[in-house]
Amino acid sequence: MDILSKVRTIPDFPKPGIMFKDITSLLADPEAFAAVIAGMEERYGGRGLTKVVGVESRGFLFGAVLAHSLGLGFVPIRKAGKLPAKTRRRSYSLEYGEATIEVHEDALGPGDRVVLVDDLLATGGTARAAAELVKELGAEVDEIWFLIELGFLPGRKALEGFRVHSEAVVESE
């Protein structure tokens, strides 16, 4: 299946010059959504994973379904201030400022092996921060999965040292 044909591009959202990749059209197509999840199940089943970690917010959509399908627990990584128990946090740079994400301290530990799930790889800052949080808790990142990668941006470079898989790559805008 051609994933990119199922994803809308919205010009100038959320700000001028951005070509936003809107995955809601893929999610609304039951066959396309099922095909993505089936591919994830095939890729990650039998790899000895103990948890699936999803990055807020669109990583939750794919990660939680994958966790359910594989019979694993799901761990959310959220924006700062959204998790109720004791957390670990990591700040990182964005093109337009800084952001912070958090994970519950007791969500992962030594012996956990995870796939980290998010919808889009652009500059890699969010994914790098999330992977570092997972490692800080003593867990191993088996791979970082993205639905879409913006191949013309330096996201993969920011994730050196981690195995990365993208279902579809946009080579230019």
Side-chain angles (χ1 to χ4, degrees):
M1 176 191 59
D2 178 12
I3 288 171
L4 295 176
S5 72
K6 302 293 183 179
V7 174
R8 288 186 292 209
T9 299
I10 310 294
D12 299 321
F13 183 84
K15 62 183 190 175
I18 301 291
M19 299 296 283
F20 186 80
K21 301 301 179 200
D22 178 19
I23 66 165
T24 61
S25 50
L26 182 141
L27 296 170
D29 180 329
E31 291 176 6
F33 189 32
V36 169
I37 297 301
M40 294 175 82
E41 290 169 347
E42 183 177 326
R43 184 169 188 85
Y44 296 111
R47 281 178 74 163
L49 300 177
T50 59
K51 303 254 174 68
V52 175
V53 177
V55 179
E56 186 169 348
S57 66
R58 292 175 298 270
F60 294 179
L61 301 170
F62 297 98
V65 175
L66 178 63
H68 174 74
S69 296
L70 297 179
L72 303 174
F74 176 75
V75 175
I77 290 186
R78 300 215 52 198
K79 294 173 185 163
K82 301 288 185 178
L83 293 171
K86 190 172 182 183
T87 62
R88 296 276 178 102
R89 64 178 29 208
R90 180 77 58 160
S91 295
Y92 59 98
S93 295
L94 299 165
E95 323 68 272
Y96 48 85
E98 196 167 281
T100 302
I101 55 174
E102 296 179 328
V103 65
H104 279 139
E105 276 197 347
D106 61 356
L108 299 165
D112 279 317
R113 181 179 172 92
V114 309
V115 60
L116 182 63
V117 174
D118 205 356
D119 70 319
L120 184 82
L121 173 57
T123 61
T126 305
R128 179 89 201 181
E132 288 173 354
L133 278 174
V134 168
K135 287 177 56 178
E136 187 177 316
L137 293 176
E140 176 188 352
V141 177
D142 177 73
E143 190 165 74
I144 306 173
W145 180 94
F146 298 97
L147 180 67
I148 301 168
E149 177 179 348
L150 302 181
F152 56 92
L153 293 176
R156 270 195 194 255
K157 186 162 182 59
L159 297 174
E160 284 180 353
F162 293 99
R163 189 166 43 187
V164 175
H165 175 76
S166 301
E167 292 296 325
V169 179
V170 177
E171 294 297 345
S172 65
E173 273 305 301

